[in-house]
């Protein structure tokens, strides 16, 4: 992909340079030949410099085709002829150069050297956390991989497939004693450089409407997704401040867009976003950067059929209110979860967008405050707040997994 992009970029540069001379000759009738050549050379110089600068950025940051890359190609290919036709003369050159500089400024920044940087990642048994540990290990970072079960299959897989730079730690973020043990271990082993990064990835998800979500499950979701992340972050802030490092919170599309049936999870992720936004502002004076990763749906272990069935049983078994059970009915819950199982294959299994975003948040010289990840994520999160409520609700319904043809037992009578 990078090689193809390089070839494409080179062709665009040559085409733009050729178009430059041709359009200058046709539209600068009032200029002599020397002026036409002079402006053509200026446009060509700006084009080549911009093209090489963009290429350098993408080579440094594992190039992938996205909105900003398309925008840079648009400016490169169409910006020059438009400036020549519409503005002309020195004003056109200055405008074109300014546009190039503006686009360049929003491209991903180059990465810092890995050096001896240490990072703690939570929720590494599977999914995003597991993939991130392997990615960070592959680029030479020291990784503390916190697993819910340090002797489970996920932890064993990390031990077998990662280098000695990865240390497996036992951590349930809702367990105060385990958290204190992990913090103490990191304080004793991280060294004089401090802890460079913390990735709060541990989280739980249940599909359950607000009325069918028991207090037990609601507390579990909030304590894991929000309170655990807050407690761990606060405990490690001295080490992170010392390193002038990075804090990364793995949120979700549901941290900004709510969907039916995801109430507890959405509440927790909205709270995590608020925590991240506050912390980002408060940490500026310390030189600490805070980023939020906002994935759409991805096919991880939590979306596998046996785990979805287990969550369904947990939702039903913790729901002790008999009246609510009768109102919704077991058949309704079974039908909803069967629909989720059948629709789970629509989610991509490639977690590269997540690992790339977390790597950038940890090592980019100018990390972004938010990293929407997944097809259409950035567009959706930009559009959603601008829509009238009724249109936003309709969009959420169309994106969600709640089937429209299934109704609670009380509505079928």
């Amino acid at each position: 992909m990078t090689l193809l992009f390089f070839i494409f970029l080179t062709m665009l540069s040559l085409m733009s340079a050729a178009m430059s001379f041709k359009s200058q000759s046709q539209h600068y009738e009032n200029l002599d030949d020397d002026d036409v050549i002079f402006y053509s050379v200026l446009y060509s110089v700006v084009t080549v410099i911009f093209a090489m600068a963009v290429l350098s950025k993408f080579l440094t940051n594992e190039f992938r085709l996205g909105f900003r890359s398309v925008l840079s190609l648009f400016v490169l290919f169409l910006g020059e002829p438009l400036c020549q036709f519409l503005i002309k003369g020195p004003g056109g050159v200055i405008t074109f150069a300014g546009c190039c500089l503006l686009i360049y400024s929003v491209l991903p920044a180059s990465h810092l050297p890995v050096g001896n940087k240490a990072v703690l990642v939570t929720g590494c048994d599977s999914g995003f956390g597991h993939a991130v540990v392997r990615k960070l290990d592959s680029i030479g970072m020291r990784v503390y991989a916190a697993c819910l079960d340090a002797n489970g299959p996920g932890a064993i897989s990390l031990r077998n497939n990662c280098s000695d730079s990865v240390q497996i730690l036992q951590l349930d973020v809702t367990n105060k004693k385990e958290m204190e043990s992990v913090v103490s271990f990191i304080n004793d082993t991280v060294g004089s450089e401090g802890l460079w990064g913390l990735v709060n990835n541990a989280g739980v998800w249940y599909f359950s409407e607000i009325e069918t979500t028991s207090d037990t499950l609601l507390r579990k979701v909030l304590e894991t997704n929000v309170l655990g992340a807050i407690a761990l972050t606060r405990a490690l802030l001295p080490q992170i401040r010392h390193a002038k490092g990075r804090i990364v919170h793995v949120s979700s599309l549901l941290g900004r867009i709510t969907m039916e049936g995801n109430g507890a999870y959405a509440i927790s992720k909205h709270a995590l976003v608020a925590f991240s936004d506050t912390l980002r502002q408060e940490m500026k004076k310390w030189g600490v950067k805070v980023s939020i990763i906002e994935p759409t749906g991805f096919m991880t272990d939590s979306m596998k059929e046996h785990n979805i069935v287990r969550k369904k049983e947990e939702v039903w078994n913790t729901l002790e209110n008999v009246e609510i059970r009768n109102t919704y009915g077991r058949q309704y819950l079974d039908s909803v979860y069967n629909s989720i199982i059948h629709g789970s294959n629509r989610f991509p299994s490639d977690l590269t967008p997540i690992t790339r975003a977390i790597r950038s948040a940890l090592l980019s010289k100018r990390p972004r405050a938010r990293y929407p990840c997944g097809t259409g994520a950035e567009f959706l999160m930009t559009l959603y707040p601008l829509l009238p409520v009724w249109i936003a609700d309709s969009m959420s319904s169309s994106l969600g997994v709640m089937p429209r043809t299934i109704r609670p037992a009380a509505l079928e009578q």
Side-chain angles (χ1 to χ4, degrees):
M1 178 66 76
T2 300
L3 179 59
L4 291 175
F5 178 68
F6 174 76
I7 295 173
F8 185 52
L9 204 59
T10 303
M11 292 176 62
L12 285 181
S13 300
L14 294 174
M15 290 174 63
S16 295
M19 290 177 63
S20 171
F21 183 80
K22 182 177 180 181
S23 62
Q24 295 282 6
S25 301
Q26 292 177 345
H27 296 277
Y28 288 164
E29 296 89 351
N30 59 330
L31 299 177
D32 56 34
D33 291 341
D34 290 339
D35 288 333
V36 171
I37 295 174
F38 174 72
Y39 287 120
S40 296
V41 170
L42 284 182
Y43 272 109
S44 299
V45 168
V46 173
T47 299
V48 171
I49 291 175
F50 178 61
M52 298 310 297
V54 170
L55 179 63
S56 175
K57 286 279 188 182
F58 285 125
L59 287 175
T60 305
N61 291 275
E62 300 181 3
F63 166 73
R64 66 188 177 96
L65 193 62
F67 174 75
R68 288 181 290 173
S69 58
V70 171
L71 185 60
S72 65
L73 294 179
F74 177 83
V75 170
L76 183 65
F77 187 56
L78 294 180
E80 181 180 343
L82 284 175
C83 287
Q84 293 184 47
F85 277 101
L86 300 177
I87 303 176
K88 304 179 182 179
V93 176
I94 294 173
T95 302
F96 177 59
C99 290
C100 290
L101 184 61
L102 179 63
I103 296 301
Y104 180 80
S105 69
V106 301
L107 291 175
S110 57
H111 285 168
L112 296 166
V114 171
N116 196 39
K117 293 180 174 62
V119 177
L120 169 64
V121 183
T122 65
C124 300
D125 302 79
S126 62
F128 298 158
H130 193 90
V132 167
V133 169
R134 298 189 64 172
K135 176 62 178 179
L136 298 181
D137 179 55
S138 71
I139 62 175
M141 297 194 80
R142 296 166 52 206
V143 184
Y144 298 99
C147 297
L148 183 62
D149 183 359
N151 296 310
I156 293 172
S157 175
L158 289 177
R159 288 190 181 96
N160 293 337
N161 293 288
C162 295
S163 71
D164 294 337
S165 296
V166 175
Q167 299 187 59
I168 309 297
L169 304 178
Q170 171 66 40
L171 178 61
D172 176 350
V173 295
T174 67
N175 187 311
K176 185 177 179 180
K177 288 185 177 179
E178 288 186 3
M179 186 175 295
E180 289 174 348
S181 177
V182 166
V183 171
S184 177
F185 180 80
I186 289 177
N187 288 337
D188 292 340
T189 60
V190 75
S192 59
E193 295 183 6
L195 182 66
W196 174 258
L198 168 62
V199 181
N200 281 310
N201 168 71
V204 292
W205 165 83
Y206 293 92
F207 191 89
S208 177
E209 296 180 48
I210 293 293
E211 195 173 12
T212 60
T213 304
S214 65
D215 291 345
T216 300
L217 280 191
L218 181 59
R219 281 195 297 268
K220 181 178 180 180
V221 172
L222 293 177
E223 288 174 0
T224 304
N225 296 0
V226 185
L227 299 180
I230 293 173
L232 185 60
T233 302
R234 293 174 66 182
L236 291 172
L237 272 179
Q239 289 285 3
I240 299 172
R241 282 192 286 104
H242 178 71
K244 297 186 184 299
R246 307 290 171 83
I247 300 170
V248 182
H249 295 125
V250 179
S251 179
S252 167
L253 175 76
L254 294 170
R256 287 200 274 166
I257 299 177
T258 56
M259 294 181 187
E260 186 179 356
N262 290 281
Y265 186 77
I267 290 168
S268 71
K269 292 303 182 180
H270 273 72
L272 186 64
V273 169
F275 170 58
S276 301
D277 287 342
T278 304
L279 192 65
R280 183 182 65 249
Q281 297 174 55
E282 294 176 349
M283 287 294 106
K284 283 183 179 180
K285 54 182 170 287
W286 300 103
V288 174
K289 303 293 197 316
V290 181
S291 298
I292 308 170
I293 310 300
E294 299 176 307
T296 55
F298 283 84
M299 185 63 184
T300 60
D301 281 2
S302 66
M303 293 303 297
K304 292 182 178 177
E305 183 172 351
H306 67 279
N307 283 324
I308 293 177
V309 171
R310 177 180 56 79
K311 291 175 187 293
K312 177 186 69 174
E313 296 302 324
E314 198 171 349
V315 169
W316 183 257
N317 292 335
T318 59
L319 184 59
E320 298 177 351
N321 189 308
V322 177
E323 182 182 354
I324 295 177
R325 278 192 172 198
N326 293 334
T327 298
Y328 285 85
R330 176 64 195 235
Q331 184 177 352
Y332 174 73
L333 188 67
D334 288 341
S335 299
V336 169
Y337 268 83
N338 286 338
S339 178
I340 294 173
I341 291 171
H342 293 148
S344 62
N345 57 2
R346 71 178 182 174
F347 298 125
S349 58
D350 181 13
L351 304 183
T352 302
I354 309 299
T355 58
R356 181 186 289 116
I358 292 177
R359 178 193 177 187
S360 178
L362 289 170
L363 292 174
S364 174
K365 291 181 179 178
R366 291 186 289 106
R368 299 171 61 183
R370 288 186 168 87
Y371 288 87
C373 301
T375 305
E378 196 150 4
F379 174 76
L380 285 173
M381 292 184 184
T382 302
L383 177 65
Y384 185 80
L386 306 177
L387 297 175
V389 172
W390 67 275
I391 297 180
D393 286 350
S394 297
M395 186 180 77
S396 295
S397 296
S398 65
L399 293 173
V401 295
M402 175 66 82
R404 302 269 71 89
T405 57
I406 302 173
R407 304 196 329 154
L411 293 178
E412 295 291 349
Q413 296 176 358

